[in-house]
Amino acid sequence: MGNITSAVGSQILSAVVAAALTGVGGLVRWFLVRRLPARRTWRYASAGELSIVLDTVHIDTGRYQRPMAGLGQVRALSLLIPSLTNAYRDLDLERVRLSAHLPGHEMEHDLLLLGGGKTNEVSRRIYGAMAGSLPFQLGSEGIIWDGATYRGEVTNGEITRDCGVVIRAPHPLNPNRRIVLIAGLSTYGTVAAVRWLIEKGSDRSLAADIAVLVEAAVLRDGHVSTPRLLREAALGT
């Protein structure tokens, strides 16, 4: 009887140890496959004071101007949130702001900015503070990089190709924080830049502080295809 009890006890112990090892192995695999690459993508130390700032458009209701974000911003947000949640346990999704409503003290927080200076006043301020250190300029005719101008394409009144930029760098107004600015010539370019960052931003060959220019085809239903990297430059070197 004692032998049977001992054998059963050994089997239970073996099962418990196997389950524990499987759990630990799964956790390690998740950490290596998901968390570390996601953190390389964003490069924030934490998300405890991360503010996600969307562009702001105003709709005239007939009675007042209603501030809101465009559909492209919502699409971009839906692409990047899974990566952020993989990277940071302390991400606060209630700290998603319209640029027109960003509290002043959050200007010096870690920032994730969607949209360029035309509709995102926070992006405009950050871009203005960094302009001298960036390899490109956002002009009225397109994105100018080393003298070459990159524009989107419009066919029969519809955007068929668009360009976007990603800036990942220290915060120009607070060196203890970081910013990621993602913008496009139109909303499709912003989505293209988000796609590139999510899919390629964790590459070990990329500098932590970087500016990139991408382009992507836009299908008739508004789907943004796989973006293509056009230009890349390390910042602060």
Side-chain angles (χ1 to χ4, degrees):
M1 187 67 178
N3 291 336
I4 295 175
T5 302
S6 177
V8 171
S10 296
Q11 290 177 355
I12 293 175
L13 179 60
S14 297
V16 170
V17 170
L21 291 175
T22 299
V24 170
L27 182 61
V28 170
R29 187 165 53 252
W30 174 84
F31 186 82
L32 293 175
V33 173
R34 293 183 179 271
R35 172 150 293 189
L36 286 183
R39 281 183 174 262
R40 282 199 303 272
T41 294
W42 298 104
R43 304 294 177 131
Y44 301 114
S46 74
E49 291 192 348
L50 173 64
S51 295
I52 301 173
V53 187
L54 311 183
D55 69 11
T56 308
V57 295
H58 291 85
I59 303 298
D60 188 351
T61 67
R63 297 179 58 200
Y64 61 93
Q65 296 288 317
R66 175 186 296 166
M68 60 183 296
L71 177 59
Q73 296 277 293
V74 176
R75 287 180 175 175
L77 197 60
S78 69
L79 289 174
L80 61 84
I81 287 298
S83 176
L84 282 171
T85 54
N86 279 333
Y88 304 103
R89 291 179 179 271
D90 56 350
L91 178 67
D92 182 1
L93 291 179
E94 292 192 11
R95 199 176 283 129
V96 176
R97 314 292 196 195
L98 291 176
S99 58
H101 293 165
L102 182 73
H105 69 278
E106 291 187 23
M107 178 65 75
E108 295 188 12
H109 283 190
D110 291 311
L111 296 175
L112 170 52
L113 307 169
L114 293 180
K118 183 178 180 180
T119 52
N120 188 323
E121 61 190 66
V122 181
S123 291
R124 183 167 63 250
R125 288 192 60 183
I126 295 299
Y127 175 77
M130 298 182 68
S133 63
L134 295 175
F136 65 86
Q137 297 83 45
L138 297 175
S140 58
E141 298 297 319
I143 299 169
I144 304 168
W145 193 308
D146 287 343
T149 301
Y150 298 87
R151 305 176 177 87
E153 295 179 3
V154 178
T155 303
N156 297 326
E158 295 184 348
I159 295 175
T160 56
R161 185 170 296 277
D162 203 7
C163 296
V165 294
V166 177
I167 302 170
R168 187 174 68 192
H171 196 311
L173 305 180
N174 182 353
N176 296 317
R177 301 292 182 178
R178 294 186 62 81
I179 65 98
V180 175
L181 190 156
I182 307 171
L185 293 175
S186 77
T187 188
Y188 301 112
T190 301
V191 173
V194 168
R195 278 202 63 178
W196 180 89
L197 184 62
I198 297 302
E199 296 169 8
K200 303 296 183 181
S202 66
D203 195 308
R204 293 178 183 274
S205 67
L206 295 174
D209 305 331
I210 195 170
V212 302
L213 170 66
V214 303
E215 70 169 4
V218 182
L219 305 185
R220 293 192 63 184
D221 63 356
H223 175 75
V224 176
S225 64
T226 301
R228 181 169 70 94
L229 180 65
L230 297 177
R231 305 296 292 264
E232 170 190 340
L235 301 178
T237 58

